[in-house]
Each structure stands twice: as C-alpha cells, then as structure tokens.
Amino acid sequence: MVAVTSTAAPADLLEVAVRHAQRAAASLVEGLSRQRSMVGHKSSPTDMVTEMDREVERQIVEGILRERPGDAVLGEEGARRDGNSGVRWIIDPLDGTTNYLYGHPGFAVSIATEVGGAVVAGVVVDPLHGDVFTAVRGGGAHRNGEEIRVSEETDLSRALLATGFGYDRDRRVRQARVLVDVLGQVRDIRRMGAASVDLCSVACGRVDGYWEAGLQPWDFAAGALIASEAGAVVGDLAGGPPSTTFTLAAPPALFDSLRAVLAGAAADQV
C-alpha cells in the first residue's frame, strides 16, 4: 500500500480526537455503576484490564475510522492498523485502570494524533475532575478552552513532583529506592496513578514536575505534547525525547536540576 501524505490540519484532527475522547469518557463514567463482569491481568497481577478498557477502545477506533478510514491506529488494548494517509492515532482508552476499578479520581482517556511520525495534536479527558486538556503543536495548551502554563517555581527544594511505578514487583522496589533519593531534595511527591493526568498536571501547574520509567507510547503521547505546549521541557535523562525508557517533564527552570538528581539516582536504570 502506497503512503499518502495527510492533508488534514492538526486542529481538525484535534476536533475528531476531542469528540471521541469525550464520548469515551462518558462511557467510562456510566460504567462506574456497573458490576465488573471481567477483570483480567496483562503483564503482572497488578497490571489490570477491565471490560471497559476494551469496550471503550473499540468505540474510539470504530468511531475514528468511520470518519477517517485511511488512518493508522495504535491502541493499548491491542488495536493495530496500518494506514495510507500518513496519520496515526495513539489511543489509551483508560489510563489509570486501577483508579477506575476503585472509583478513585485520576483516570482518563488519552488520544494523540501523529502525522509523519510527529505528534501534532492531543487530548486527555479526566472526567471525574471535569477536565479536557488539549494541545495542537505550535498552538499552546488548554484546559476546558482556557490557556494553561506550567509552574513558575525555580527552586527544586520547593518543587512538588509526581511519579509513577511499574507493574513488575522487582521494578517497583527499585523505583521506591529512587524515590527515597529524590524525596529529601524536593518539597514532596505525589503518586496519582495515570501518566497522562500527571503530564497534564505539569501543564497546568498542579505539580512542578513529573518523571516515570517504562511508559508506553499511549501513556505519554498526548500528555507530553500538552505539557510541552504549556511550556514544559519534556525528555529523557540522556538529552533525547520522552520514550519508553524514561519520561521527564518540568518547567525550564527546574528541568536540568531535576534531571541531575534523577540521573544521580539512576532513575532510568530501574
């Protein structure tokens, strides 16, 4: 199949993403009242998946492809599709599954759109907080239509940081050791349970920075763009972009000092 360059504007792609993310979020909220008919495990006993993860991913993918049948798809719950338009949708239908299972705030729907391998639009819908975070590359970041910016904090010792832990037991123990090294050098740490929400929290200044090792593209694609468009520096510990090895987001005034602390703690070696 011959690839065709997409003619879709990023703003138009964002509109599609927002519409389907909001519909998916409404389904998730409705699903909170259901008795769970299926709860399984993916990579470990703590890496859970519900019937809602799969149902909502199916809804999103089918809806997008009805509008844009030539596009590619990468979804957390197994949706894989090659396309010929140059556009790929990166979908996490339920980021924060454990929070969702417990009815705990801090889960979201995340949809990012790539064109030519670069993320150009993203949305994260956090339904229990009533937040719709959006960004188009070069167009800034917004929450519920209002422009957002990262924290103005400049002193790492006063920084409130967020992080997350992996699902493998041994990795979680190693990550806890990193946490001990970092905790004495910052104001405090928060662990909310959804990478996309954490990155959006950086974007709107709810936390001053965030790091995590071992994420997948659907975890950070939309949130990383939103944080970046809100003024954050987003990357890894080696000077590269955010990746499945490591993701770090912080305002420019904090990024280098936080990266140094995390590098000293070997946070990317967990």
Side-chain angles (χ1 to χ4, degrees), residues 20 23 33 58 99 139 232:
H20 290 288
R23 289 175 181 168
S33 62
R58 178 186 57 77
N99 286 344

Side-chain angles (χ1 to χ4, degrees), residues 180-202:
V180 170
D181 288 346
V182 176
L183 191 55
Q185 302 183 64
V186 302
R187 170 168 281 163
D188 209 343
I189 303 288
R190 297 290 181 267
R191 193 275 199 253
M192 274 79 82
S196 63
V197 177
D198 287 335
L199 285 161
C200 290
S201 292
V202 174

Side-chain angles (χ1 to χ4, degrees), residues 19-31:
R19 186 167 64 254
H20 290 288
Q22 289 181 312
R23 289 175 181 168
S27 294
L28 289 175
V29 172
E30 186 275 331

